[in-house]
Amino acid sequence: MKIRQSTNRGLVLSLLIAASLITLTVMQKNIDTDRYDSGLRKFISYKLTERLLSNLKDRSVYIRAYSATSNSQKLTLFRKLQSDWLALQPQSIAENESEKDQLAIILESQEWISLQEKLVMSKALNKFENKAISEVDSGNMRQASQILYG
């Protein structure tokens, strides 16, 4: 009888240990998945921000060069970057299904609100750039420089 009881206890204890290990493994997998998803969301958010900032920086270079030289090639390059910026859609950032899923989460999050604020500021900058172009086109280089450089 004692042998049977200790065998049953040993079996129950072994089952509890196995169940605990399975539970810990599943919990660790969920934590790893959450960590991966969080990292992917950050990556996509940084990627979108980097494209926006890169475009703004390049536009600034060309508009300033145009205001200083009236070189129509600089204006053409600026206009191309401007149209690229206007066409910049968050969906173009995601390259696969996993990234698209994380992008959907970003678009519903505080991160996207922050990015939208940057886009609004960028649109305001767009108005200044267009005003500077008008000044250069009308021959008023000094006013264009003042708009661009403050």
Side-chain angles (χ1 to χ4, degrees):
M1 189 73 167
K2 280 189 174 188
I3 294 174
R4 188 177 223 195
Q5 267 186 332
S6 65
T7 304
N8 286 343
R9 280 187 193 153
L11 182 61
V12 168
L13 188 56
S14 295
L15 289 174
L16 284 173
I17 290 171
S20 296
L21 289 173
I22 291 171
T23 302
L24 289 173
T25 302
V26 169
M27 288 174 58
Q28 182 63 40
K29 185 176 186 305
N30 289 341
I31 289 170
D32 289 344
T33 301
D34 290 344
R35 192 176 299 150
Y36 171 79
D37 289 346
S38 175
L40 188 57
R41 277 194 302 277
K42 279 184 181 176
F43 169 73
I44 293 169
S45 182
Y46 289 147
K47 197 171 167 182
L48 186 58
T49 302
E50 189 276 328
R51 277 207 190 156
L52 173 66
L53 293 176
S54 175
N55 182 282
L56 289 173
K57 182 181 142 221
D58 292 345
R59 280 176 32 205
S60 177
V61 167
Y62 288 123
I63 190 67
R64 288 176 182 204
Y66 177 67
S67 73
T69 64
S70 297
N71 182 334
S72 63
Q73 186 180 17
K74 302 296 183 195
L75 181 61
T76 302
L77 292 169
F78 169 80
R79 291 285 187 214
K80 182 189 178 326
L81 287 169
Q82 194 175 41
S83 67
D84 290 348
W85 173 79
L86 292 172
L88 179 65
Q89 295 297 317
Q91 291 75 11
S92 68
I93 301 299
E95 297 174 4
N96 57 47
E97 287 304 313
S98 182
E99 288 185 6
K100 286 178 185 175
D101 293 343
Q102 295 308 313
L103 181 63
I105 293 169
I106 289 171
L107 295 179
E108 297 171 2
S109 71
Q110 186 63 35
E111 293 171 54
W112 179 241
I113 293 169
S114 174
L115 286 172
Q116 283 180 315
E117 290 169 357
K118 289 175 179 70
L119 286 170
V120 167
M121 288 188 285
S122 180
K123 286 179 183 177
L125 177 62
N126 205 21
K127 290 178 185 177
F128 282 106
E129 292 167 340
N130 287 332
K131 186 165 175 50
I133 289 169
S134 296
E135 293 296 334
V136 171
D137 290 345
S138 66
N140 195 348
M141 306 287 263
R142 174 178 256 163
Q143 183 65 25
S145 291
Q146 203 168 27
I147 290 169
L148 294 171
Y149 294 101

